[in-house]
Amino acid sequence: MTNIGTEIQRDINFSRNEDFMKNLLRKLNAKAEQIKLGGGKEAIEKQHKRGKLTARERIEKLIDQGSYFMELGLFAAYGMYEEYGGAPASGTIFGIGKIHGRDVVIVANDATVKAGAWFPITCKKNLRAQEISIENRLPIVYLVDSAGVFLPMQDEIFPDKEHFGRIFRNNAIMSSMGITQIAAIMGPCVAGGAYLPIMSDEALIVDKTGSVFLAGPYLVKAAIGEDADIEELGGATMHCEISGVTDYKMPNDEVCLETIRNIISKLGHSQKAGFDRTNAKPPKFDPREIYGIIPDDRTKPFDTYQLLARIVDTDSFDEYKAGYGKTIITAYARIDGWAVGIVANQRAIVKTRKGEMQFGGVIYSDSADKATRFILNCNQKMIPLIFFQDVTGFMVGTRAEQGGIIKDGAKMVNAVANSVVPKITFIIGNSYGAGNYAMCGKAYDPRFIFAWPTAQIAVMGGKQASETLLSIRLQSGSKKEQISEEEKQKLLNEIQNRYSSQLDPLYAAARLWVDEIIDPVETRKIISYCIEIAANNPNIPRFNPGVIQT
């Protein structure tokens, strides 16, 4: 066992850091509460007057009472589509919860947001829900209440590979894989959107409030001149007694949700992946001390071991190659009893055996080489990998290039790309350039990826990017044009402000580059639940690392 972490001195720096983190969380939680209101209190009241529960109320009644619902994509579409009045949570709520003790993916249209219409990011969010269901072999429940595609943006959601049609393609693929899909039609379900519930394995429909048809009354009138009301065209009675399109006619939302629970309770059980778990031990130090460890200034170094000591189980940390490649920490450990492999950027400035100083958060050749070997080991041993990103990129300069940094970086990226065990990524600070890739960013298929409020994702840091963009702009201008230092500083500030807005973790979460922004104290609980979810898929393919140059 490796002893990590020490008692923290609660000095003025600790208090300043703690206040900074808590303030970030306070602002984030305020935004989250506003988003959870969907279309607002008036829209919620209208939903209730129609005899319908809201999407969040439906989920609450569907999952086991008092159980944890891990919502993902809450901040999807944040700050987007403002010209249309915005789309809180993209008009769709999704996450993973327990139904009769079984992990289930749940997707619910929020009809209080533009009648549940689909924006481009809504489609991306639903595809992510299906991806999680597929990767982890989880049943999926769709609570459908949607007016269909948001027509003003139809060109950005309809025809491409990762657009609307991909959802129905996934419905078919998932059924062939034996993944249970249950759909409840709890409101309108129109046009192409009608295929989602009907391509599911079983479909329930709520009487008088649920309807499903390829074309509504107005379009039918315009197309063929026929007068038809909603009930005879696509109501519950018609589809359950005449067309046979739906399987269960439900009197209201509550009975519908209880019926889904009953169906889920009877599903057979499959073999688990077999990841090792023992009795959990709490961390040696209080996880809430993480607030005081992360600096209020991201340029300041800090000891990543101190963070890990407040996340991993006591006396479970076995560091791999502790004296080599010190800017990346690699270790076997346990988190809530689960065996894990940890790959974490060390943010402290470290000294090599030769007495050289290496910058914290930078990946050097030796640290990339170490991480590559460790990732291979975890795949061989069937141990899930946890990545903690706080990386400014790979080392640059003549010495690094001559030392083969590109080759060593490529080896690490190769190992991450071909890894077959579940990978869970946390972006806790910087996530710049190829460092994002090597530390299992979104493009490298982590089963789940989360950000702390202190995260920043970009091709490079704000200062470097702004100065580079300024130089490009000045060089592209007329050579005769003279710009004063004052004008140059003004231009630099404009570039920095625009670039900084894209570094905000909310910008990343809005576009689903991360699954969610989380409270750092929740990290341990989330890792445990994600591994439990991942264990539902026993089909771990044989690991083949591809070509890794030595």
Side-chain angles (χ1 to χ4, degrees):
M1 302 296 173
T2 309
N3 289 321
I4 57 168
T6 59
E7 294 283 352
I8 292 289
Q9 184 180 356
R10 292 176 173 268
D11 56 13
I12 190 169
N13 289 325
F14 181 95
S15 298
R16 185 168 56 243
N17 294 341
E18 185 179 44
D19 289 345
F20 176 73
M21 180 67 83
K22 286 183 176 180
N23 193 43
L24 288 179
L25 287 168
R26 179 184 59 78
K27 293 177 180 178
L28 189 70
N29 290 335
K31 290 181 174 71
E33 291 306 310
Q34 186 62 39
I35 290 170
K36 288 177 182 179
L37 291 175
K41 293 181 180 178
E42 281 189 27
I44 291 172
E45 288 174 9
K46 286 181 181 178
Q47 185 94 334
H48 289 159
K49 286 178 181 177
R50 295 189 185 110
K52 298 163 65 175
L53 299 171
T54 65
R56 292 189 180 278
E57 289 167 343
R58 288 166 177 166
I59 292 172
E60 189 176 348
K61 288 184 178 294
L62 182 61
I63 63 176
D64 295 345
Q65 189 173 4
S67 64
Y68 172 54
F69 178 67
M70 187 171 75
E71 182 171 357
L72 304 175
L74 173 64
F75 295 100
Y78 181 83
M80 300 170 68
Y81 314 127
E82 296 298 325
E83 64 272 35
Y84 302 112
S90 78
T92 294
I93 299 159
F94 107 82
I96 302 151
K98 290 193 180 294
I99 299 177
H100 286 286
R102 185 191 298 267
D103 297 314
V104 178
V105 176
I106 302 168
V107 185
N109 300 122
D110 186 350
T112 70
V113 178
K114 303 292 188 297
W118 289 57
F119 288 80
I121 203 70
T122 316
C123 185
K124 186 175 181 180
K125 188 171 177 177
N126 278 261
L127 287 171
R128 177 61 177 143
Q130 290 182 320
E131 180 181 45
I132 288 173
S133 174
I134 291 169
E135 286 183 333
N136 302 289
R137 298 299 190 272
L138 299 183
I140 186 167
V141 173
Y142 307 100
L143 306 179
V144 186
D145 192 347
S146 171
V149 167
F150 186 66
L151 288 177
M153 303 189 74
Q154 64 85 28
D155 62 318
E156 296 182 45
I157 189 173
F158 170 64
D160 209 347
K161 180 179 179 179
E162 299 298 328
H163 283 180
F164 204 45
R166 187 75 173 184
I167 292 169
F168 315 137
R169 174 263 187 195
N170 284 353
N171 287 141
I173 297 298
M174 291 162 74
S175 285
S176 74
M177 295 172 68
I179 296 172
T180 298
Q181 301 176 84
I182 299 171
I185 302 164
M186 310 181 85
C189 189
V190 186
Y195 287 107
L196 184 147
I198 307 311
M199 291 190 72
S200 297
D201 302 307
E202 294 186 79
L204 304 85
I205 184 168
V206 179
D207 194 22
K208 301 297 187 267
T209 56
S211 59
V212 55
F213 34 64
L214 294 181
Y218 294 113
L219 184 54
V220 168
K221 177 68 175 176
I224 63 174
E226 180 186 353
D227 289 309
D229 65 28
I230 287 177
E231 287 302 313
E232 66 177 328
L233 192 62
T237 299
M238 191 283 287
H239 278 310
C240 286
E241 299 179 11
I242 298 175
S243 73
V245 166
T246 52
D247 307 308
Y248 305 87
K249 179 180 174 182
M250 300 284 101
N252 53 49
D253 283 8
E254 288 84 355
V255 174
C256 181
L257 297 167
E258 188 57 38
T259 302
I260 294 172
R261 285 183 54 79
N262 291 340
I263 294 170
I264 294 288
S265 73
K266 297 176 179 67
L267 298 181
H269 293 271
S270 301
Q271 183 181 353
K272 300 289 185 179
F275 305 128
D276 187 67
R277 191 179 196 185
T278 59
N279 292 331
K281 296 180 181 178
K284 186 174 182 179
F285 303 104
D286 185 357
R288 297 188 67 82
E289 291 181 340
I290 292 173
Y291 294 157
I293 294 172
I294 299 289
D296 61 347
D297 179 352
R298 67 181 53 254
T299 64
K300 294 178 181 177
F302 65 91
D303 189 354
T304 304
Y305 288 105
Q306 295 283 31
L307 290 183
L308 298 178
R310 286 149 182 86
I311 294 172
V312 305
D313 291 11
T314 299
D315 298 329
S316 71
F317 196 84
D318 293 301
E319 188 167 7
Y320 174 80
K321 287 186 176 289
Y324 178 72
K326 292 182 178 181
T327 63
I328 288 183
I329 299 167
T330 51
Y332 303 106
R334 290 192 183 275
I335 295 177
D336 197 32
W338 292 103
V340 299
I342 291 173
V343 182
N345 300 113
Q346 169 59 297
R347 278 302 313 278
I349 296 172
V350 301
K351 184 185 289 187
T352 68
R353 281 188 172 272
K354 296 179 180 178
E356 299 166 338
M357 305 305 291
Q358 293 186 341
F359 297 107
V362 178
I363 302 175
Y364 291 77
S365 283
D366 54 357
S367 49
D369 175 67
K370 176 175 77 170
T372 300
R373 298 189 199 186
F374 182 72
I375 290 165
L376 301 182
N377 288 351
C378 287
N379 275 272
Q380 183 190 54
K381 295 175 172 67
M382 277 278 289
I383 299 174
L385 283 159
I386 314 297
F387 290 83
F388 291 98
Q389 283 198 19
D390 194 342
V391 57
T392 53
F394 286 89
M395 190 57 188
V396 296
T398 305
R399 185 169 184 173
E401 297 291 0
Q402 292 177 356
I405 187 65
I406 294 176
K407 179 183 72 173
D408 291 317
K411 288 193 296 185
M412 184 176 175
V413 168
N414 192 322
V416 172
N418 286 291
S419 180
V420 296
V421 295
K423 298 169 290 190
I424 304 166
T425 300
F426 293 85
I427 302 174
I428 66 176
N430 304 315
S431 180
Y432 298 155
N436 171 280
Y437 304 156
M439 292 296 293
C440 198
K442 181 71 171 179
Y444 287 78
D445 295 326
R447 289 286 181 98
F448 298 94
I449 179 167
F450 301 94
W452 287 6
T454 44
Q456 284 191 353
I457 305 171
V459 71
M460 65 178 72
K463 185 176 184 296
Q464 300 93 319
S466 300
E467 291 175 354
T468 302
L469 289 168
L470 177 63
S471 298
I472 293 170
R473 184 175 295 189
L474 293 176
Q475 289 171 12
S476 65
S478 170
K479 291 184 178 179
K480 297 179 181 179
E481 184 181 2
Q482 297 295 322
I483 298 178
S484 68
E485 287 301 316
E486 185 179 345
E487 289 173 319
K488 190 183 294 185
Q489 187 60 48
K490 183 181 177 182
L491 191 56
L492 180 61
N493 290 340
E494 289 175 0
I495 294 171
Q496 283 180 336
N497 290 338
R498 185 172 67 252
Y499 195 85
S500 294
S501 69
Q502 297 176 0
L503 293 174
D504 193 306
L506 283 166
Y507 189 91
R511 289 154 182 80
L512 299 177
W513 300 348
V514 295
D515 288 320
E516 198 59 85
I517 307 173
I518 65 164
D519 183 337
V521 171
E522 298 290 301
T523 301
R524 178 179 162 86
K525 179 177 80 171
I526 287 171
I527 290 172
S528 179
Y529 190 37
C530 287
I531 297 176
E532 178 186 326
I533 290 166
N536 284 284
N537 184 359
N539 303 316
I540 306 296
R542 182 180 176 83
F543 178 59
N544 184 348
V547 178
I548 294 183
Q549 294 181 326
T550 56

